[in-house]
Structure formats: C-alpha cells, structure tokens
C-alpha cells in the first residue's frame, strides 16, 4: 500500500516523495493528491471498518473537490490529478500507469445494453474538459488535448485533438515532456 501511494506522490514531486514532511504537506494541502490518498486507502482496506472510514473521507473529499472516482476503480500506480473539479470516472474503466487527468474530464460508458467502458494504457495525459466514452482502447503514450472528444480507439504514441477527435500519430511519445516525474 505504501509503495503505490509513494508512486502516486512521485508523479507530483519526484524523489522528495520519500520525505515525511512532503507526504504530510501533500495529503493536507493538495486536493488532487488528497483524493488519491483516500481513494487508494479505501480501495485496499483490509476490513469493513477501515474501508468505511476511508470511504467516508473519500466521499467528503468528493463533495468538496467535485471528483467522482468510485472505490475499486482500476487505476495503475503513478496516478496524478493535476487540477481538481468535475472529474468523473466510470468504476468499470481500466486505467494504466502514469495517468494524468485534469479538471472537467469524463471517462464513461455509452449507456448501451452492455457495460462498454474505456481501457486506457500507460503514460496517458488527459487534458481539461476532454471526454473518453464507450468501449474504446486508448494506447500507451497518448496525449488527449483539452476539449477532445473520443469515442474511437487511439493507437500508441498519438495526440488526439478536437471535437470530434482527430488523431495525430507520432514517432515517439508525446507525453514524455508532460510527465516530468514518470515512473519507470
């Protein structure tokens, strides 16, 4: 448990994530990390009392910051909420490592007869007010520009811009310059 939280904090501050003073500072004063901290504890709680305790803190944090990521949502280590406010993730979505998300974003299903939710790869950055919807696969090293709407598969090393989304293929990762502290 400690490792995944340190991996999440590493995405914010790098090697300083090992300092207790920084850990306390970010839990108390950084809304995105505070939510992630409560989310990780609630999702991995070993008994019903601790799960209830962390879930209540998570719900209070959800009301305060406008973030809705249900307990148990599958999100890999190195999760970073860059800015808080109106972030909604479907509980059945599967998200890889080094995922960054900004305010006004939605990762959801298409409300069909089947649960069709996105699967998102590693090293993905999701810009403000962007939407991923339906049974789509987002590859590794993908940059989703602010305001983009995605309801189609996106290959590795791509940038998606616009509404409707348009794919711009790259030879190398477009997310490397945005992931300053990326887990190896």
């Amino acid at each position: 448990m400690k490792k995944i939280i340190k991996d999440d904090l590493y995405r914010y501050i790098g090697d300083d994530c090992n300092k207790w003073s920084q850990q306390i500072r970010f839990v108390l004063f950084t809304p995105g990390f505070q939510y992630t901290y409560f989310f990780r504890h609630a999702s991995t709680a070993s008994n019903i009392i601790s799960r209830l305790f962390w879930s209540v803190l998570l719900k209070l944090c959800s009301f305060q910051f406008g973030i809705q990521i249900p307990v148990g949502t599958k999100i890999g280590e190195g999760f970073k909420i860059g800015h808080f406010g109106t972030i909604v993730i479907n509980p059945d979505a599967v998200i890889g490592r080094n995922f960054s998300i900004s305010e006004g974003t939605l990762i959801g299903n298409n409300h069909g007869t089947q649960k069709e939710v996105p699967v998102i790869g590693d090293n993905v950055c999701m810009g403000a007010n962007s939407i991923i919807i339906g049974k789509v696969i987002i590859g590794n090293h993908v940059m989703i520009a602010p305001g983009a709407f995605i309801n189609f598969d996106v290959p590795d090393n791509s940038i998606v811009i616009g509404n409707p989304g348009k794919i711009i293929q790259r030879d190398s990762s477009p997310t490397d310059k945005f992931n300053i502290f990326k887990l190896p």
Side-chain angles (χ1 to χ4, degrees):
M1 174 50 143
K2 281 184 175 182
K3 182 181 180 332
I4 196 165
I5 290 174
K6 279 192 180 179
D7 288 346
D8 292 337
L9 184 57
Y10 179 84
R11 294 291 314 290
Y12 289 83
I13 58 174
D15 290 329
D16 282 350
C17 68
N18 293 313
K19 297 178 181 175
W20 279 99
S21 60
Q22 292 293 356
Q23 292 174 15
I24 292 168
R25 182 180 137 229
F26 271 77
V27 168
L28 294 177
F29 302 114
T30 305
F33 183 72
Q34 185 180 69
Y35 190 92
T36 301
Y37 184 83
F38 295 154
F39 167 77
R40 295 293 192 195
H41 278 287
S43 294
T44 60
S46 58
N47 61 56
I48 194 160
I49 293 170
S50 63
R51 185 177 180 107
L52 179 64
F53 172 76
W54 291 111
S55 294
V56 167
L57 289 177
L58 183 68
K59 188 55 89 175
L60 292 172
C61 200
S62 177
F63 290 138
Q64 184 176 6
F65 303 129
I67 301 171
Q68 296 178 26
I69 306 171
V71 172
T73 303
K74 293 176 186 78
I75 301 174
E77 58 273 2
F79 177 45
K80 181 180 180 186
I81 300 173
H83 303 281
F84 67 92
T86 319
I87 295 172
V88 179
I89 298 179
N90 185 291
D92 296 319
V94 177
I95 300 169
R97 298 171 39 128
N98 292 320
F99 179 67
S100 298
I101 193 167
S102 295
E103 73 279 358
T105 53
L106 169 70
I107 300 172
N109 66 0
N110 62 359
H111 298 292
T113 56
Q114 300 173 348
K115 288 187 177 185
E116 297 180 340
V117 295
V119 174
I120 300 172
D122 296 338
N123 302 308
V124 173
C125 293
M126 194 170 173
N129 300 313
S130 57
I131 297 171
I132 303 172
I133 199 107
K135 186 178 181 178
V136 298
I137 298 174
I138 308 297
N140 298 319
H141 307 284
V142 172
M143 169 63 71
I144 300 165
F149 178 80
I150 301 172
N151 62 350
F152 49 84
D153 291 346
V154 177
D156 293 350
N157 297 320
S158 298
I159 299 173
V160 181
I161 60 171
N163 183 359
K166 177 184 172 191
I167 297 173
I168 300 171
Q169 191 70 43
R170 298 287 179 161
D171 293 329
S172 61
S173 171
T175 61
D176 281 348
K177 65 182 176 183
F178 294 99
N179 286 332
I180 297 168
F181 300 114
K182 181 175 71 172
L183 294 172

